[in-house]
mmCIF file of all heavy atoms in Angstrom:
data_model
loop_
_atom_site.group_PDB
_atom_site.id
_atom_site.type_symbol
_atom_site.label_atom_id
_atom_site.label_comp_id
_atom_site.label_asym_id
_atom_site.label_seq_id
_atom_site.Cartn_x
_atom_site.Cartn_y
_atom_site.Cartn_z
ATOM 1 N N SER A 1 0.843 -1.170 0.029
ATOM 2 C CA SER A 1 0.004 0.007 0.007
ATOM 3 C C SER A 1 0.854 1.254 0.004
ATOM 4 O O SER A 1 1.993 1.229 0.478
ATOM 5 C CB SER A 1 -0.939 0.013 1.190
ATOM 6 O OG SER A 1 -1.778 -1.120 1.219
ATOM 7 N N THR A 2 0.301 2.313 -0.555
ATOM 8 C CA THR A 2 0.946 3.614 -0.578
ATOM 9 C C THR A 2 -0.054 4.687 -0.153
ATOM 10 O O THR A 2 -1.119 4.765 -0.757
ATOM 11 C CB THR A 2 1.552 3.943 -1.931
ATOM 12 O OG1 THR A 2 2.451 2.926 -2.356
ATOM 13 C CG2 THR A 2 2.274 5.266 -1.903
ATOM 14 N N ILE A 3 0.297 5.483 0.803
ATOM 15 C CA ILE A 3 -0.494 6.591 1.181
ATOM 16 C C ILE A 3 0.134 7.867 0.620
ATOM 17 O O ILE A 3 1.343 8.053 0.700
ATOM 18 C CB ILE A 3 -0.665 6.700 2.725
ATOM 19 C CG1 ILE A 3 -1.658 7.774 3.117
ATOM 20 C CG2 ILE A 3 0.689 6.869 3.444
ATOM 21 C CD1 ILE A 3 -2.020 7.788 4.609
ATOM 22 N N PHE A 4 -0.712 8.707 0.042
ATOM 23 C CA PHE A 4 -0.213 9.952 -0.491
ATOM 24 C C PHE A 4 -1.335 10.975 -0.531
ATOM 25 O O PHE A 4 -2.520 10.626 -0.301
ATOM 26 C CB PHE A 4 0.404 9.782 -1.898
ATOM 27 C CG PHE A 4 -0.529 9.262 -2.956
ATOM 28 C CD1 PHE A 4 -1.080 10.099 -3.884
ATOM 29 C CD2 PHE A 4 -0.830 7.911 -3.027
ATOM 30 C CE1 PHE A 4 -1.906 9.653 -4.862
ATOM 31 C CE2 PHE A 4 -1.669 7.417 -4.024
ATOM 32 C CZ PHE A 4 -2.209 8.300 -4.932
ATOM 33 N N ARG A 5 -1.020 12.216 -0.849
ATOM 34 C CA ARG A 5 -2.031 13.230 -0.810
ATOM 35 C C ARG A 5 -1.764 14.273 -1.872
ATOM 36 O O ARG A 5 -0.622 14.475 -2.310
ATOM 37 C CB ARG A 5 -2.097 13.891 0.590
ATOM 38 C CG ARG A 5 -0.864 14.650 1.003
ATOM 39 C CD ARG A 5 -0.898 14.927 2.501
ATOM 40 N NE ARG A 5 -2.027 15.727 2.895
ATOM 41 C CZ ARG A 5 -2.507 15.850 4.142
ATOM 42 N NH1 ARG A 5 -1.891 15.165 5.131
ATOM 43 N NH2 ARG A 5 -3.536 16.573 4.393
ATOM 44 N N ASP A 6 -2.816 14.890 -2.300
ATOM 45 C CA ASP A 6 -2.760 16.008 -3.263
ATOM 46 C C ASP A 6 -3.514 17.148 -2.586
ATOM 47 O O ASP A 6 -4.710 17.253 -2.670
ATOM 48 C CB ASP A 6 -3.400 15.617 -4.599
ATOM 49 C CG ASP A 6 -3.239 16.700 -5.652
ATOM 50 O OD1 ASP A 6 -2.925 17.869 -5.279
ATOM 51 O OD2 ASP A 6 -3.433 16.375 -6.846
ATOM 52 N N ASN A 7 -2.734 17.985 -1.945
ATOM 53 C CA ASN A 7 -3.356 19.079 -1.187
ATOM 54 C C ASN A 7 -4.056 20.093 -2.071
ATOM 55 O O ASN A 7 -5.009 20.728 -1.639
ATOM 56 C CB ASN A 7 -2.314 19.758 -0.294
ATOM 57 C CG ASN A 7 -1.933 18.915 0.892
ATOM 58 O OD1 ASN A 7 -2.701 18.083 1.365
ATOM 59 N ND2 ASN A 7 -0.694 19.069 1.369
ATOM 60 N N ALA A 8 -3.629 20.203 -3.335
ATOM 61 C CA ALA A 8 -4.322 21.102 -4.243
ATOM 62 C C ALA A 8 -5.728 20.620 -4.519
ATOM 63 O O ALA A 8 -6.635 21.452 -4.802
ATOM 64 C CB ALA A 8 -3.553 21.207 -5.546
ATOM 65 N N LYS A 9 -5.933 19.311 -4.445
ATOM 66 C CA LYS A 9 -7.259 18.737 -4.639
ATOM 67 C C LYS A 9 -8.001 18.473 -3.326
ATOM 68 O O LYS A 9 -9.080 17.940 -3.305
ATOM 69 C CB LYS A 9 -7.192 17.422 -5.411
ATOM 70 C CG LYS A 9 -6.680 17.602 -6.846
ATOM 71 C CD LYS A 9 -6.682 16.246 -7.567
ATOM 72 C CE LYS A 9 -6.222 16.463 -9.022
ATOM 73 N NZ LYS A 9 -6.184 15.148 -9.710
ATOM 74 N N ASN A 10 -7.305 18.836 -2.217
ATOM 75 C CA ASN A 10 -7.887 18.677 -0.897
ATOM 76 C C ASN A 10 -8.235 17.176 -0.642
ATOM 77 O O ASN A 10 -9.252 16.852 0.015
ATOM 78 C CB ASN A 10 -9.128 19.509 -0.724
ATOM 79 C CG ASN A 10 -9.221 20.198 0.616
ATOM 80 O OD1 ASN A 10 -8.226 20.326 1.331
ATOM 81 N ND2 ASN A 10 -10.403 20.639 0.954
ATOM 82 N N THR A 11 -7.368 16.276 -1.133
ATOM 83 C CA THR A 11 -7.633 14.868 -1.099
ATOM 84 C C THR A 11 -6.404 14.054 -0.643
ATOM 85 O O THR A 11 -5.267 14.400 -0.995
ATOM 86 C CB THR A 11 -8.088 14.387 -2.478
ATOM 87 O OG1 THR A 11 -9.259 15.072 -2.874
ATOM 88 C CG2 THR A 11 -8.367 12.888 -2.477
ATOM 89 N N MET A 12 -6.651 13.012 0.117
ATOM 90 C CA MET A 12 -5.676 12.079 0.552
ATOM 91 C C MET A 12 -6.074 10.695 -0.013
ATOM 92 O O MET A 12 -7.256 10.362 -0.068
ATOM 93 C CB MET A 12 -5.552 12.091 2.088
ATOM 94 C CG MET A 12 -4.440 11.256 2.667
ATOM 95 S SD MET A 12 -5.071 9.590 3.135
ATOM 96 C CE MET A 12 -6.142 10.045 4.563
ATOM 97 N N TYR A 13 -5.066 9.864 -0.319
ATOM 98 C CA TYR A 13 -5.332 8.618 -0.983
ATOM 99 C C TYR A 13 -4.692 7.440 -0.320
ATOM 100 O O TYR A 13 -3.654 7.602 0.401
ATOM 101 C CB TYR A 13 -4.830 8.656 -2.427
ATOM 102 C CG TYR A 13 -5.346 9.767 -3.255
ATOM 103 C CD1 TYR A 13 -4.690 10.969 -3.361
ATOM 104 C CD2 TYR A 13 -6.526 9.582 -4.044
ATOM 105 C CE1 TYR A 13 -5.157 11.990 -4.140
ATOM 106 C CE2 TYR A 13 -6.986 10.594 -4.843
ATOM 107 C CZ TYR A 13 -6.306 11.837 -4.869
ATOM 108 O OH TYR A 13 -6.785 12.801 -5.660
ATOM 109 N N LEU A 14 -5.231 6.265 -0.512
ATOM 110 C CA LEU A 14 -4.590 5.006 -0.138
ATOM 111 C C LEU A 14 -4.663 4.115 -1.344
ATOM 112 O O LEU A 14 -5.744 3.664 -1.726
ATOM 113 C CB LEU A 14 -5.262 4.357 1.076
ATOM 114 C CG LEU A 14 -4.663 3.029 1.534
ATOM 115 C CD1 LEU A 14 -3.222 3.255 2.073
ATOM 116 C CD2 LEU A 14 -5.521 2.364 2.540
ATOM 117 N N GLN A 15 -3.500 3.868 -1.974
ATOM 118 C CA GLN A 15 -3.382 2.902 -3.079
ATOM 119 C C GLN A 15 -3.093 1.525 -2.479
ATOM 120 O O GLN A 15 -2.091 1.358 -1.807
ATOM 121 C CB GLN A 15 -2.294 3.320 -4.050
ATOM 122 C CG GLN A 15 -2.058 2.345 -5.170
ATOM 123 C CD GLN A 15 -3.171 2.265 -6.168
ATOM 124 O OE1 GLN A 15 -3.675 3.332 -6.511
ATOM 125 N NE2 GLN A 15 -3.550 1.084 -6.594
ATOM 126 N N MET A 16 -3.971 0.578 -2.744
ATOM 127 C CA MET A 16 -3.782 -0.799 -2.212
ATOM 128 C C MET A 16 -3.627 -1.764 -3.349
ATOM 129 O O MET A 16 -4.483 -1.846 -4.213
ATOM 130 C CB MET A 16 -4.955 -1.162 -1.341
ATOM 131 C CG MET A 16 -5.183 -0.257 -0.123
ATOM 132 S SD MET A 16 -6.463 -0.853 0.976
ATOM 133 C CE MET A 16 -7.950 -0.665 -0.100
ATOM 134 N N ASN A 17 -2.535 -2.484 -3.325
ATOM 135 C CA ASN A 17 -2.240 -3.487 -4.302
ATOM 136 C C ASN A 17 -2.133 -4.848 -3.688
ATOM 137 O O ASN A 17 -2.040 -4.978 -2.459
ATOM 138 C CB ASN A 17 -0.936 -3.167 -5.059
ATOM 139 C CG ASN A 17 -0.923 -1.811 -5.685
ATOM 140 O OD1 ASN A 17 -1.920 -1.392 -6.310
ATOM 141 N ND2 ASN A 17 0.188 -1.070 -5.554
ATOM 142 N N SER A 18 -2.130 -5.879 -4.507
ATOM 143 C CA SER A 18 -2.033 -7.261 -4.015
ATOM 144 C C SER A 18 -2.957 -7.509 -2.862
ATOM 145 O O SER A 18 -2.590 -8.050 -1.810
ATOM 146 C CB SER A 18 -0.552 -7.549 -3.588
ATOM 147 O OG SER A 18 0.331 -7.360 -4.686
ATOM 148 N N LEU A 19 -4.201 -7.148 -3.053
ATOM 149 C CA LEU A 19 -5.209 -7.226 -1.993
ATOM 150 C C LEU A 19 -5.451 -8.696 -1.592
ATOM 151 O O LEU A 19 -5.429 -9.564 -2.434
ATOM 152 C CB LEU A 19 -6.477 -6.553 -2.397
ATOM 153 C CG LEU A 19 -6.426 -5.022 -2.369
ATOM 154 C CD1 LEU A 19 -7.555 -4.422 -3.188
ATOM 155 C CD2 LEU A 19 -6.509 -4.525 -0.939
ATOM 156 N N LYS A 20 -5.695 -8.848 -0.311
ATOM 157 C CA LYS A 20 -5.969 -10.162 0.276
ATOM 158 C C LYS A 20 -7.363 -10.189 0.909
ATOM 159 O O LYS A 20 -7.861 -9.139 1.302
ATOM 160 C CB LYS A 20 -4.928 -10.499 1.340
ATOM 161 C CG LYS A 20 -3.485 -10.403 0.904
ATOM 162 C CD LYS A 20 -2.538 -10.588 2.043
ATOM 163 C CE LYS A 20 -1.105 -10.511 1.627
ATOM 164 N NZ LYS A 20 -0.199 -10.699 2.772
ATOM 165 N N PRO A 21 -7.963 -11.335 1.006
ATOM 166 C CA PRO A 21 -9.270 -11.366 1.712
ATOM 167 C C PRO A 21 -9.262 -10.768 3.068
ATOM 168 O O PRO A 21 -10.279 -10.164 3.487
ATOM 169 C CB PRO A 21 -9.584 -12.882 1.730
ATOM 170 C CG PRO A 21 -8.881 -13.449 0.556
ATOM 171 C CD PRO A 21 -7.615 -12.663 0.448
ATOM 172 N N GLU A 22 -8.205 -10.864 3.806
ATOM 173 C CA GLU A 22 -8.131 -10.278 5.103
ATOM 174 C C GLU A 22 -8.066 -8.753 5.097
ATOM 175 O O GLU A 22 -8.142 -8.126 6.156
ATOM 176 C CB GLU A 22 -6.916 -10.823 5.922
ATOM 177 C CG GLU A 22 -5.586 -10.767 5.141
ATOM 178 C CD GLU A 22 -5.258 -12.082 4.492
ATOM 179 O OE1 GLU A 22 -6.152 -12.681 3.834
ATOM 180 O OE2 GLU A 22 -4.091 -12.516 4.576
ATOM 181 N N ASP A 23 -7.939 -8.150 3.933
ATOM 182 C CA ASP A 23 -8.074 -6.678 3.797
ATOM 183 C C ASP A 23 -9.492 -6.218 3.809
ATOM 184 O O ASP A 23 -9.754 -5.033 3.815
ATOM 185 C CB ASP A 23 -7.378 -6.190 2.505
ATOM 186 C CG ASP A 23 -5.872 -6.399 2.534
ATOM 187 O OD1 ASP A 23 -5.261 -6.180 3.597
ATOM 188 O OD2 ASP A 23 -5.315 -6.781 1.500
ATOM 189 N N THR A 24 -10.454 -7.147 3.726
ATOM 190 C CA THR A 24 -11.852 -6.791 3.732
ATOM 191 C C THR A 24 -12.234 -6.066 5.000
ATOM 192 O O THR A 24 -12.011 -6.579 6.094
ATOM 193 C CB THR A 24 -12.736 -8.043 3.527
ATOM 194 O OG1 THR A 24 -12.462 -8.646 2.252
ATOM 195 C CG2 THR A 24 -14.206 -7.672 3.647
ATOM 196 N N ALA A 25 -12.769 -4.874 4.858
ATOM 197 C CA ALA A 25 -13.111 -4.025 6.024
ATOM 198 C C ALA A 25 -13.749 -2.787 5.521
ATOM 199 O O ALA A 25 -13.771 -2.477 4.340
ATOM 200 C CB ALA A 25 -11.857 -3.704 6.825
ATOM 201 N N VAL A 26 -14.325 -2.040 6.464
ATOM 202 C CA VAL A 26 -14.680 -0.647 6.168
ATOM 203 C C VAL A 26 -13.482 0.211 6.439
ATOM 204 O O VAL A 26 -12.901 0.118 7.547
ATOM 205 C CB VAL A 26 -15.903 -0.200 7.054
ATOM 206 C CG1 VAL A 26 -16.190 1.273 6.782
ATOM 207 C CG2 VAL A 26 -17.107 -1.060 6.748
ATOM 208 N N TYR A 27 -13.088 1.005 5.476
ATOM 209 C CA TYR A 27 -11.951 1.848 5.618
ATOM 210 C C TYR A 27 -12.373 3.303 5.899
ATOM 211 O O TYR A 27 -13.233 3.834 5.213
ATOM 212 C CB TYR A 27 -11.104 1.812 4.301
ATOM 213 C CG TYR A 27 -10.307 0.548 4.187
ATOM 214 C CD1 TYR A 27 -10.957 -0.676 3.908
ATOM 215 C CD2 TYR A 27 -8.909 0.551 4.364
ATOM 216 C CE1 TYR A 27 -10.204 -1.838 3.855
ATOM 217 C CE2 TYR A 27 -8.195 -0.615 4.237
ATOM 218 C CZ TYR A 27 -8.837 -1.831 3.989
ATOM 219 O OH TYR A 27 -8.108 -2.970 3.903
ATOM 220 N N TYR A 28 -11.689 3.898 6.896
ATOM 221 C CA TYR A 28 -11.999 5.219 7.344
ATOM 222 C C TYR A 28 -10.791 6.114 7.166
ATOM 223 O O TYR A 28 -9.665 5.680 7.456
ATOM 224 C CB TYR A 28 -12.450 5.222 8.824
ATOM 225 C CG TYR A 28 -13.645 4.391 9.162
ATOM 226 C CD1 TYR A 28 -13.509 3.060 9.466
ATOM 227 C CD2 TYR A 28 -14.911 4.962 9.175
ATOM 228 C CE1 TYR A 28 -14.625 2.273 9.799
ATOM 229 C CE2 TYR A 28 -16.016 4.191 9.495
ATOM 230 C CZ TYR A 28 -15.858 2.887 9.791
ATOM 231 O OH TYR A 28 -16.960 2.135 10.105
ATOM 232 N N CYS A 29 -11.029 7.349 6.780
ATOM 233 C CA CYS A 29 -9.951 8.321 6.855
ATOM 234 C C CYS A 29 -10.186 9.207 8.045
ATOM 235 O O CYS A 29 -11.319 9.416 8.518
ATOM 236 C CB CYS A 29 -9.833 9.160 5.566
ATOM 237 S SG CYS A 29 -11.225 10.237 5.200
ATOM 238 N N ALA A 30 -9.085 9.754 8.581
ATOM 239 C CA ALA A 30 -9.154 10.601 9.738
ATOM 240 C C ALA A 30 -8.083 11.670 9.580
ATOM 241 O O ALA A 30 -7.080 11.484 8.913
ATOM 242 C CB ALA A 30 -8.955 9.790 11.031
ATOM 243 N N ALA A 31 -8.302 12.795 10.243
ATOM 244 C CA ALA A 31 -7.364 13.893 10.172
ATOM 245 C C ALA A 31 -7.290 14.600 11.500
ATOM 246 O O ALA A 31 -8.273 14.708 12.226
ATOM 247 C CB ALA A 31 -7.798 14.899 9.105
ATOM 248 N N SER A 32 -6.075 15.102 11.769
ATOM 249 C CA SER A 32 -5.844 15.793 13.060
ATOM 250 C C SER A 32 -4.983 17.041 12.747
ATOM 251 O O SER A 32 -3.966 16.959 12.059
ATOM 252 C CB SER A 32 -5.139 14.902 14.028
ATOM 253 O OG SER A 32 -4.800 15.631 15.210
#
């Protein structure tokens, strides 16, 4: 996985590759 952000777009991303069944979940973003 790779986390990155584009602040000009006001967006943060999580690129997930080679996904596994154990990756199944609800994914949440958070900010502080």
Side-chain angles (χ1 to χ4, degrees):
S1 299
T2 302
I3 186 170
F4 61 101
R5 64 196 301 161
D6 186 343
N7 286 331
K9 296 182 178 179
N10 223 17
T11 300
M12 186 265 291
Y13 304 90
L14 180 67
Q15 176 70 42
M16 300 187 294
N17 303 317
S18 301
L19 284 162
K20 305 174 181 179
E22 50 263 45
D23 293 319
T24 296
V26 177
Y27 284 71
Y28 300 88
C29 66
S32 176

